[in-house]
Amino acid sequence: MTTWEPQTYLRYADIRFRAGLDLMARIPKSEYSSIYDLGCGTGYLTRILADTFSNSRVIGIDSSPEMLAEARREFPALAWQQADIRSWRPAAPPDLIYTNAALQWVPDHETLLPALLNQLRPGGVLAMQVPRHFESPSHLGLKDLVMQREWRAKLEPLLLAPIPPPETYWRWLSPHASNIDLWETIYLHVLDGKDPVVNFMRGTALRPFSLLFRSTMPPSSWALSPSAWPWLTPLNPTARRFSLSAACF
């Protein structure tokens, strides 16, 4: 299991959470007694959920003890539980399941999403967002490196499956939901600092690869410095991110 570094992840917090806030704004206005935030990470958006739906019981779920420790430190008044999304089962059917930038780490969405919808009470809402930028220069460069002969055997298993287009998600969701609000957004972010694309990806996409280098290869092969990721350092410090979001009820 990947271990996470909360402070590295939070370095570009405003950018990381933009799509999640936009998703939150599209959740149908209603009274939600119980809300779960799946893949809550450091709990920043969980806290905003709790503020937005102040009469609700909001629980953050994450598989990372490092992320949950940060969430508990920053937001001790909220409830946090460690669980894997694939095996998570609520104690009682919730009114709202919210998940932002987490499901891309979980395989088989065709099976997963109906299962999550089935966890809801009748009339409940599933609000989800996944990044869909696997065709961006940074991710294509990562894939090119991984597929090189000297790296492929060790690194290819760490590649995430590409997120399919919105039409595919509509086909998966429509038999199980009476209403679907489904959209795709393009965000153009200007990143700051030295080697910003590398440092932005270190908090998420590069993390499993960095851990593998540290644990299985000699230090000369770690490839953790920006100069060792030559396909990232010359990129313009703007990042075009595609975000696929849906609110189903």
Side-chain angles (χ1 to χ4, degrees):
M1 183 177 70
T2 299
T3 57
W4 297 95
E5 292 181 344
Q7 297 311 314
T8 301
Y9 177 79
L10 289 171
R11 185 176 300 170
Y12 294 97
D14 289 347
I15 291 173
R16 296 197 193 282
F17 298 141
R18 170 74 182 278
L21 292 170
D22 290 347
L23 171 65
M24 206 178 297
R26 298 279 285 269
I27 294 174
K29 304 304 181 186
S30 184
E31 290 294 324
Y32 300 103
S33 297
S34 59
I35 299 173
Y36 284 90
D37 180 5
L38 300 188
C40 64
T42 57
Y44 177 88
L45 292 176
T46 319
R47 190 267 302 171
I48 296 178
L49 275 171
D51 290 346
T52 303
F53 302 101
S54 57
N55 294 324
S56 306
R57 173 170 168 76
V58 180
I59 302 173
I61 304 292
D62 206 279
S63 63
S64 167
E66 297 84 9
M67 290 294 202
L68 288 175
E70 178 70 11
R72 290 187 177 105
R73 185 182 68 82
E74 284 291 320
F75 311 112
L78 296 179
W80 310 100
Q81 296 177 7
Q82 185 174 349
D84 188 301
I85 291 174
R86 290 169 293 186
S87 57
W88 169 78
R89 298 293 183 273
D95 300 279
L96 169 63
I97 295 174
Y98 172 93
T99 177
N100 174 69
L103 297 188
Q104 72 273 17
W105 300 98
V106 184
D108 191 15
H109 287 187
E110 186 174 6
T111 301
L112 173 69
L113 296 179
L116 290 178
L117 286 168
N118 287 335
Q119 303 286 348
L120 293 165
R121 67 155 179 82
V125 176
L126 169 65
M128 58 164 284
Q129 184 278 136
V130 285
R132 201 172 90 85
H133 47 14
F134 292 90
E135 298 302 314
S136 64
S138 56
H139 285 71
L140 289 175
L142 175 59
K143 185 176 180 179
D144 286 344
L145 174 68
V146 167
M147 300 307 286
Q148 292 177 15
R149 183 170 58 186
E150 64 268 35
W151 304 113
R152 185 168 183 174
K154 285 184 175 291
L155 300 186
E156 188 177 13
L158 300 179
L159 284 176
L160 297 179
I163 296 298
E167 295 82 359
T168 300
Y169 279 89
W170 185 87
R171 290 198 301 270
W172 291 343
L173 292 166
S174 58
H176 308 279
S178 57
N179 294 279
I180 301 176
D181 182 10
L182 178 64
W183 68 97
E184 187 170 37
T185 307
I186 301 174
Y187 297 92
L188 186 65
H189 301 298
V190 179
L191 307 175
D192 57 9
K194 180 177 173 58
D195 301 308
V197 178
V198 175
N199 288 321
F200 182 81
M201 293 182 68
R202 272 178 169 161
T204 51
L206 288 182
R207 182 66 179 162
F209 298 93
S210 300
L211 290 171
L212 180 67
F213 278 120
R214 283 186 177 274
S215 63
T216 65
M217 298 181 183
S220 61
S221 300
W222 277 2
L224 293 174
S225 67
S227 62
W229 302 97
W231 40 270
L232 283 174
T233 51
L235 290 181
N236 187 292
T238 59
R240 185 182 296 267
R241 295 205 307 153
F242 292 77
S243 169
L244 187 148
S245 306
C248 310
F249 48 101

